[in-house]
Amino acid sequence: MKKVISVLLLGIAIFTFAFSTPALAADTDNGAKVFSANCASCHAGGKNLVNAAKTLKKEDLEKYGMNSAEAIIAQVTNGKNAMPAFKGRLKANQIEDVAAYVLDKADKSWK
């Protein structure tokens, strides 16, 4: 019986680690600085001056499928529609930091 439980627990542990998304080691303080220098002109306070319907507020991020670090990183990196790509201007870790900052601020209603 002990072997069965051990094998079961080992299987659960392997499954958990194999299919879990790794956490980003992002720096929200740095994200705030990068956001202020590069994003705030259009997204101050979580708003969107180009398309008022697509803000950075939690409800809109969820509505438009942008409520994950991966989605925000892709958008900032590659741009979309009126938003320019920042791939050549920002380093990957800076974009990760911005994504973490945006999600953190959205969780706090941009306060």
Side-chain angles (χ1 to χ4, degrees):
M1 184 66 164
K2 286 183 181 181
K3 283 187 177 184
V4 172
I5 292 174
S6 296
V7 170
L8 183 60
L9 289 175
L10 180 62
I12 291 170
I14 290 170
F15 182 82
T16 301
F17 288 111
F19 295 101
S20 65
T21 305
L24 293 174
D27 178 350
T28 55
D29 290 336
N30 186 54
K33 293 173 190 171
V34 175
F35 184 92
S36 179
N38 296 278
C39 313
S41 59
C42 293
H43 295 290
K47 297 177 182 169
N48 185 332
L49 298 179
V50 177
N51 185 346
K54 293 185 175 183
T55 71
L56 300 180
K57 303 217 169 151
K58 188 170 187 163
E59 305 81 43
D60 287 338
L61 292 176
E62 290 172 355
K63 181 178 179 180
Y64 295 106
M66 297 299 296
N67 57 331
S68 70
E70 293 80 11
I72 295 170
I73 289 167
Q75 178 99 7
V76 174
T77 301
N78 303 312
K80 186 175 177 185
N81 299 325
M83 182 167 164
F86 285 85
K87 185 177 186 177
R89 294 187 238 177
L90 298 176
K91 296 176 183 172
N93 68 307
Q94 291 175 306
I95 294 173
E96 290 174 7
D97 293 348
V98 166
Y101 171 75
V102 167
L103 291 171
D104 182 60
K105 292 300 282 185
D107 282 340
K108 297 174 182 172
S109 299
W110 284 89
K111 294 180 183 170

